[in-house]
Amino acid sequence: MAVLLAVSRSGVAHTAAWSVSLLSCRRLAGAPADTVYDVVVSGGGLVGAAMACALGHDIHFHDKKILLLEAGPKKVLEKLPETYSNRVSSISPGSATLLSSFGAWDHICNMRYRAFRRMQVWDACSEALIMFDKDHLDDMGYIVENDVIMHALTKQLEAVSDRVTVLYRSKAVGYTWPYPFPTADSSPWVHITLGDGSTLQTKLLIGADGHHSGVRQAAGIQNVSWNYDQSAVVATLHLLEATENNVAWQRFLPSGPIALLPLSDTLSSLVWSTSHDHAAELVSMDEENFVDAINSAFWSDVNHTDFIDSASTALRYTVAFLKPTKASARQLPPSIAGVDAKSRVLFPLGLGHAAEYVRPRLALIGDAAHRVHPLAGQGVNMGFGDVSSLVHHLSTAAFNGKDLGSMSHLTGYETDRQRHNTALLAATDLLKRLYSTSATPLVLLRTWGLQATNAVSPLKEQIMAFASK
């Protein structure tokens, strides 16, 4: 993972990469003047829309022109459907604070979400577990459908339509970067060519266009990436009986982690990471066999061995003797009774990280900058963390009358987020690899590690604090 930290700042390489464009776009010196925006956000998904929203509602951006480019149509959620979407996100308290800062969280609360107050993670190859909870059972996070989040963001974008223009069904197909040393007849801004042939300019381009980012590729920014040997199966599940359902469950199987996230008293969302072949089999099997497979994945002890169980028990008694504190009691996951029709889909998993998050007049956020395994439930939270940090730096620059595209404050954003994101990417990748085996030495190592971590409350609190940002 050390390669993830490499950041190239070579002057010659930097200039050469900066001159690359997605299409062979001519420099537009002498062309008719285009509309010039202060900020253009390319990509109107959850992270890109949140970025445009946050800037539009920022007091120091009241006189700025912001444009959001979204390739898809406007998504209108006129009425909340009775059935839950199979695409949900785990929203951390830090992300909820960001959404609250510009009014989107109020819309979410008026629609639907589910708070969880505990998280239980355990190993399928041993009795080892770790229980995360907060004092007085405060909310640890929230499970929200992506459609609900997008509806809330759309509402808040409409509230600042005088500052933020949204172009739906509009995709940037070419970028022309300013010369490192502008001349009298050249523009100092980024030129953007849209799919319909129209052009515009911006003082700062923010790439929020996903892990296949055209902005990142056009800028020539290196992206370290690889595909995992896993796909994730998601579905909406019906519980056997109504429960309080405020616990997020995750069990590490040798083939990959399976997670159950609460949606309501009777519904939960499934995220099961497993081999590509097994994922395809899970999606195609009949409902009864699919439900049996899920219950078996959460309840079966077929991967246990007497040696590992004995070693685990010995350490547990030792810890209890040396540190006789009250521990959170192990809870049993709910049984599954059924699955929503047509809610089962799969998607491939991988890791990615951009060597640079910023260039002059350019910043990358969300999946354009990083891609992570879903086992930590941090994908969208990392993106919202990018938004929060970048808005902070840009707001300060605007307040001080600085050039928004200057590296003087963009590098502050990059430093903040790379420090956080690389640590999370490295930890997630390590966990994925450590738990993707049933080899006895590694099972013993992770069993003792999980038990020891569960016994050290300050360490657990540090982990929760990091994940809550």
Side-chain angles (χ1 to χ4, degrees):
M1 293 300 294
V3 71
L4 295 173
L5 298 171
V7 179
S8 172
R9 296 297 187 193
S10 168
V12 175
H14 178 91
T15 302
W18 193 236
S19 65
V20 177
S21 63
L22 190 60
L23 297 180
S24 298
C25 298
R26 295 179 295 107
R27 297 197 182 274
L28 302 178
D34 299 317
T35 301
V36 178
Y37 291 91
D38 293 287
V39 179
V40 170
V41 181
S42 183
L46 296 182
V47 174
M51 186 76 227
C53 246
L55 291 176
H57 286 266
D58 189 277
I59 189 172
H60 300 137
F61 270 72
H62 66 91
D63 59 346
K64 307 296 184 185
K65 291 178 62 176
I66 304 162
L67 176 66
L68 175 62
L69 296 173
E70 167 52 32
K74 183 176 182 178
K75 296 179 180 178
V76 179
L77 197 64
E78 295 179 353
K79 183 182 178 182
L80 197 62
E82 291 185 7
T83 57
Y84 282 72
S85 169
N86 59 359
R87 299 306 299 268
V88 304
S89 293
S90 176
I91 302 298
S92 69
S95 294
T97 299
L98 170 72
L99 296 171
S100 296
S101 69
F102 50 79
W105 190 249
D106 290 339
H107 291 293
I108 292 172
C109 292
N110 290 331
M111 297 180 74
R112 66 185 176 204
Y113 71 98
R114 189 73 171 192
F116 61 92
R117 295 171 177 170
R118 281 185 174 178
M119 175 179 288
Q120 181 171 298
V121 181
W122 73 110
D123 195 338
C125 296
S126 73
E127 293 293 330
L129 68 79
I130 187 167
M131 176 74 82
F132 295 102
D133 52 21
K134 289 191 174 183
D135 293 338
H136 312 297
L137 289 182
D138 292 335
D139 295 341
M140 284 191 63
Y142 312 89
I143 307 302
V144 190
E145 296 157 273
N146 290 357
D147 289 344
V148 170
I149 302 173
M150 182 54 69
H151 173 78
L153 294 172
T154 301
K155 283 291 187 182
Q156 290 310 99
L157 283 170
E158 292 171 351
V160 287
S161 57
D162 57 327
R163 302 183 203 174
V164 182
T165 302
V166 184
L167 292 182
Y168 294 101
R169 301 183 186 276
S170 296
K171 184 178 181 180
V173 296
Y175 304 90
T176 304
W177 316 105
Y179 289 108
F181 307 101
T183 60
D185 61 347
S186 68
S187 170
W189 317 131
V190 179
H191 287 260
I192 302 173
T193 303
L194 302 182
D196 62 3
S198 61
T199 60
L200 53 92
Q201 302 180 51
T202 183
K203 299 174 184 177
L204 175 64
L205 172 63
I206 298 177
D209 50 345
H211 67 270
H212 294 302
S213 172
V215 173
R216 187 188 66 236
Q217 293 174 32
I221 294 176
Q222 181 185 5
N223 187 55
V224 180
S225 65
W226 54 80
N227 294 321
Y228 287 125
D229 54 351
Q230 291 179 336
S231 290
V233 176
V234 298
T236 304
L237 306 178
H238 294 259
L239 307 185
L240 184 61
E241 57 185 11
T243 70
E244 196 173 2
N245 205 15
N246 59 5
V247 180
W249 310 89
Q250 182 164 257
R251 193 183 197 196
F252 280 97
L253 306 169
S255 58
I258 181 171
L260 200 61
L261 309 173
L263 293 175
S264 71
D265 288 352
T266 58
L267 296 172
S268 287
S269 181
L270 172 76
V271 184
W272 189 346
S273 302
T274 185
S275 69
H276 299 304
D277 290 342
H278 188 219
E281 181 184 347
L282 288 170
V283 169
S284 61
M285 66 176 52
D286 62 58
E287 180 179 354
E288 183 178 355
N289 286 329
F290 182 64
V291 169
D292 287 346
I294 295 170
N295 286 324
S296 176
F298 276 111
W299 290 83
S300 174
D301 290 336
V302 67
N303 293 300
H304 280 221
T305 63
D306 292 340
F307 172 72
I308 295 294
D309 284 347
S310 297
S312 174
T313 300
L315 179 62
R316 187 167 67 251
Y317 284 137
T318 301
V319 170
F321 176 76
L322 296 175
K323 189 174 180 292
T325 56
K326 182 180 179 181
S328 298
R330 173 191 289 267
Q331 292 184 260
L332 300 178
S335 295
I336 307 304
V339 57
D340 265 2
K342 300 181 180 179
S343 71
R344 277 182 278 175
V345 297
L346 65 82
F347 53 90
L349 302 178
L351 177 143
H353 190 253
E356 299 166 85
Y357 286 11
V358 300
R359 289 276 181 86
R361 308 214 173 280
L362 170 65
L364 300 177
I365 61 174
D367 286 358
H370 41 74
R371 181 187 182 196
V372 68
H373 194 288
L375 69 87
Q378 290 297 307
V380 75
N381 292 314
M382 291 170 70
F384 286 154
D386 295 345
V387 171
S388 182
S389 176
L390 185 54
V391 168
H392 167 73
H393 287 282
L394 293 179
S395 181
T396 301
F399 175 73
N400 292 323
K402 303 291 186 180
D403 179 1
L404 296 179
S406 171
M407 291 291 283
S408 62
H409 47 269
L410 292 180
T411 50
Y413 154 71
E414 180 182 65
T415 301
D416 289 347
R417 294 311 296 164
Q418 283 199 337
R419 183 182 296 120
H420 180 275
N421 293 339
T422 52
L424 188 54
L425 284 165
T428 302
D429 187 69
L430 177 63
L431 285 173
K432 186 269 175 192
R433 297 177 188 281
L434 181 62
Y435 279 91
S436 295
T437 179
S438 54
T440 298
L442 288 177
V443 173
L444 186 61
L445 174 67
R446 72 196 191 206
T447 294
W448 285 348
L450 200 62
Q451 287 178 309
T453 303
N454 193 48
V456 182
S457 297
L459 179 56
K460 286 206 296 182
E461 290 170 2
Q462 287 294 319
I463 294 172
M464 285 191 288
F466 187 83
S468 295
K469 293 181 179 178

